[in-house]
Amino acid sequence: MDPLVAAIDQGTSSTRFLVFNTKTAEVIGHHQVEISQRFPKEGWVEEDPREIIRSVYECMERTCEKLEQLNVDISNIKAVGVTNQRETTLVWDKETGEPLYNAIVWLDLRTQSTVERLINRTPGRNKNHLKDRTGLPISTYFSAVKLRWLLDNVDQVHQAVLSKRAMFGTVDSWIIWCLTGGRTGGVHVTDVSNASRTMLFNIHTLDWDLELCRFFDIPVEILPKVGSSSEIYGWMKSGSLAGVPISGCLGDQSAALVGQMCFEEGQAKNTYGTGCFLLRNTGTRPLTSEHGLLTTVAYKLGRDKPACYALEGSVAIAGAVIRWLKDNMGIVQSSSEIEQLAAAVGTSYGCYFVPAFSGLYAPYWEPSARGIICGLTQFTNRSHLAFAALEAVCFQTREILDAMNKDSGVPLTQLRVDGGMTGNRLLMQLQADILCIPVVRPTMSETTALGAAMAAGAAPGVEVWNLNPGQLPHLTSEKYEPQINPEESEYRFARWKKAVQKAMNWETSETSCSSNGQQQ
């Protein structure tokens, strides 16, 4: 039988474990567990690190049981890769192995005042002050400001740092540390793609930057060791896969870039999950954006391989807008219903929805923005609202694509797409119409997990997956061609941009609101 490689895909809303055939890239077994999010205050988003690691073990064991029922020998699983929600920040005690606080999720907005304080300390109050080293603006999004908040506001974290017991990590580090033994020899490691999202990592030297650590006043000793994205970090210590090496690690968006085989400069993919993330491979040189995009380390597929970089546009709210329509507004009973509802009208009838629930990310980086629905008339109904929500995802992607084309000077001729929302055919057609270029969706939608599996299988010492261009598996895909004229697309996009301006500067930290909404 062909060798198998597995991937842990720990996303914002669920954990999945998938096992791939290394020759065909086909999924031969998987299991998924939903993750519950906590919203202790408005704008706060947390997850329980214990629940995250429990979900990982459950997914692995259930998948192994399913494979044994299919008479698949799990000893054929030669390696495990990890891919994870990025920027989500954890601190735990290395002696007890216990988390010292809930994980603060990437979407969380509690650090807005921390961000303002940090920006005020920079020359000219410039949010891009650290961009030369990090590729990132000072924003609520990245891990360093979340870690700064934990140090300032959680006594257990502060005390653990003083007594040299604290360990910081993004979700990948927590998972790998736990799986390789935890407090009895667990490996404290991350890879370059995750490290480059912390604001503590120098994307040129590919290491933690002492000046950045001083700027945020974060002790470098609590940070994990930084490895490449494809090497053996350690071995599984327990469960059905004990003894199997963990040999791939990529932040979810980097993993999707690898899984979409975007190894050439200029190739790009967009992932539609809780948020939306468009990455364009810029090769071995980091390209600084002049139009509000991030410069990030895409991957480094081996210790002796060069790092490859990407320009990235991040949208905070994509699939999350569907969840909001379902859970908060009760407009739909299930996420799949949104497509039927929107297709029933085929237009938003002039209604525009800017889902700036967590401020606006690229290309604006404006935390003061808030969600807005405008252009309503007496005729507007829930179907128009559903259509406007889907269009919002496409318009946000269009803004990022325009910025990317300006930065690179070479317009993208097609967009590769993946992620949970790409099963919505209406959304994919809308995206092609609004971008005025074809949208290409692989029929195998698990590209994020596939990328982590490829990195794990290709690692030195494992070498069951060949990433040379001629050896890559062929993924079949379907293509959506634009069906409306460009003038119509431009008109709708211009109206959307008008709505975005109305969503700006809504929230200011000077005035706070009491629970009944009265300004204090």
Side-chain angles (χ1 to χ4, degrees):
M1 187 182 178
D2 293 330
L4 308 175
V5 175
I8 297 160
D9 181 356
Q10 205 297 303
T12 315
S13 57
S14 67
T15 300
R16 280 118 45 86
F17 187 76
L18 302 98
V19 178
F20 292 88
N21 178 305
T22 54
K23 294 290 174 285
T24 62
E26 158 191 25
V27 178
I28 62 159
H30 69 96
H31 190 77
Q32 175 168 336
V33 172
E34 297 299 308
I35 295 288
S36 53
Q37 293 183 340
R38 295 161 170 76
F39 307 97
K41 295 184 185 177
E42 189 188 348
W44 292 30
V45 190
E46 297 178 359
E47 290 175 353
D48 181 352
R50 296 177 196 83
E51 185 187 349
I52 290 174
I53 197 65
R54 274 199 305 269
S55 71
V56 170
Y57 280 113
E58 184 182 338
C59 286
M60 289 196 300
E61 294 307 319
R62 291 292 90 78
T63 305
C64 288
E65 284 167 17
K66 289 177 186 176
L67 291 178
E68 285 174 334
Q69 285 162 11
L70 296 168
N71 294 320
V72 174
D73 185 352
I74 62 170
S75 70
N76 276 322
I77 298 174
K78 302 302 180 193
V80 175
V82 175
T83 180
N84 55 286
Q85 52 173 313
R86 302 171 305 167
E87 299 95 15
T88 296
T89 299
L90 299 91
V91 182
W92 65 95
D93 186 316
K94 64 180 166 194
E95 290 174 14
T96 65
E98 288 297 309
L100 296 166
Y101 192 78
N102 277 340
I104 301 182
V105 177
W106 57 275
L107 277 169
D108 187 281
L109 283 179
R110 78 186 65 188
T111 53
Q112 194 166 338
S113 57
T114 310
V115 166
E116 287 167 15
R117 195 174 75 241
L118 291 165
I119 291 172
N120 286 340
R121 283 177 38 207
T122 66
R125 297 187 173 181
N126 177 11
K127 68 182 169 192
N128 292 320
H129 178 62
L130 306 176
K131 206 168 179 181
D132 289 346
R133 290 171 189 242
T134 64
L136 314 171
I138 302 171
S139 156
T140 57
Y141 185 18
F142 306 109
S143 311
V145 291
K146 300 181 195 314
L147 181 51
R148 185 65 257 154
W149 186 92
L150 286 166
L151 290 165
D152 290 338
N153 294 280
V154 180
D155 193 48
Q156 288 102 307
V157 173
H158 181 66
Q159 293 303 328
V161 168
L162 290 178
S163 57
K164 308 253 185 286
R165 289 179 293 109
M167 286 181 146
F168 154 79
T170 41
V171 174
D172 55 307
S173 298
W174 169 243
I175 290 172
I176 294 172
W177 187 78
C178 290
L179 295 181
T180 55
R183 60 201 177 102
T184 53
V187 180
H188 191 211
V189 68
T190 188
D191 91 301
V192 290
S193 71
N194 281 296
S196 75
R197 312 298 291 189
T198 60
M199 295 207 88
L200 301 170
F201 184 78
N202 186 314
I203 61 172
H204 308 284
T205 64
L206 300 179
D207 210 345
W208 301 121
D209 188 303
L210 294 178
E211 280 190 38
L212 291 170
C213 289
R214 272 197 291 276
F215 178 82
F216 289 100
D217 193 17
I218 286 167
V220 71
E221 307 78 59
I222 72 172
L223 307 180
K225 179 173 176 284
V226 183
S228 74
S229 312
S230 180
E231 61 181 78
I232 295 175
Y233 313 105
W235 286 264
M236 302 279 273
K237 278 290 186 289
S238 62
S240 302
L241 298 179
V244 175
I246 300 173
S247 53
C249 180
L250 286 159
D252 52 9
Q253 303 315 319
S254 289
L257 196 73
V258 171
Q260 286 269 28
M261 325 278 174
C262 292
F263 292 123
E264 288 174 32
E265 196 173 328
Q267 291 181 321
K269 68 88 207 171
N270 197 23
T271 299
Y272 299 74
T274 300
C276 228
F277 303 90
L278 202 150
L279 271 71
R280 180 178 183 134
N281 188 330
T282 63
T284 53
R285 65 190 179 96
L287 190 63
T288 302
S289 173
E290 301 298 326
H291 299 94
L293 302 180
L294 310 176
T295 306
T296 199
V297 181
Y299 52 80
K300 186 180 190 298
L301 295 173
R303 282 185 198 183
D304 57 347
K305 297 279 181 20
C308 282
Y309 295 86
L311 272 179
E312 175 173 339
S314 318
V315 168
I317 303 292
V321 77
I322 311 302
R323 196 183 229 191
W324 180 82
L325 287 173
K326 176 170 80 76
D327 296 347
N328 294 32
M329 307 308 286
I331 283 176
V332 288
Q333 301 307 300
S334 68
S335 297
S336 55
E337 216 182 301
I338 203 92
E339 185 174 2
Q340 301 155 300
L341 203 57
V345 285
T347 172
S348 70
Y349 201 76
C351 168
Y352 289 84
F353 189 165
V354 182
F357 302 156
S358 299
L360 285 169
Y361 285 8
Y364 301 102
W365 298 106
E366 189 44 74
S368 71
R370 284 296 176 273
I372 189 169
I373 300 170
C374 53
L376 300 176
T377 68
Q378 279 184 304
F379 183 70
T380 310
N381 62 31
R382 67 192 189 115
S383 293
H384 299 123
L385 195 55
F387 195 94
L390 294 181
E391 261 192 330
V393 175
C394 301
F395 286 134
Q396 290 180 104
T397 299
R398 164 74 192 267
E399 290 205 279
I400 286 168
L401 196 78
D402 285 358
M404 218 164 252
N405 286 342
K406 286 176 194 160
D407 276 331
S408 65
V410 185
L412 203 64
T413 53
Q414 66 168 33
L415 183 65
R416 302 181 192 203
V417 299
D418 56 72
M421 291 186 85
T422 59
N424 184 323
R425 303 177 80 89
L426 174 62
L427 178 72
M428 293 296 94
Q429 185 56 55
L430 265 176
Q431 188 66 87
D433 290 346
I434 286 165
L435 296 180
C436 304
I437 59 171
V439 165
V440 180
R441 182 181 80 92
T443 43
M444 199 282 287
S445 61
E446 303 292 355
T447 49
T448 302
L450 176 61
M454 288 164 65
V462 179
E463 294 156 294
V464 294
W465 209 313
N466 191 329
L467 301 188
N468 291 331
Q471 308 289 319
L472 293 169
H474 175 69
L475 298 184
T476 56
S477 57
E478 65 182 317
K479 189 185 258 194
Y480 293 83
E481 298 278 358
Q483 288 180 355
I484 65 172
N485 66 46
E487 292 75 28
E488 162 77 2
S489 175
E490 291 304 322
Y491 172 77
R492 278 154 63 181
F493 185 50
R495 297 282 290 257
W496 152 265
K497 291 189 82 138
K498 194 173 164 185
V500 169
Q501 290 310 312
K502 297 194 183 309
M504 292 291 192
N505 304 311
W506 194 266
E507 199 56 52
T508 57
S509 54
E510 284 76 58
T511 56
S512 63
C513 281
S514 64
S515 57
N516 63 3
Q518 298 298 309
Q519 287 199 333
Q520 294 171 339

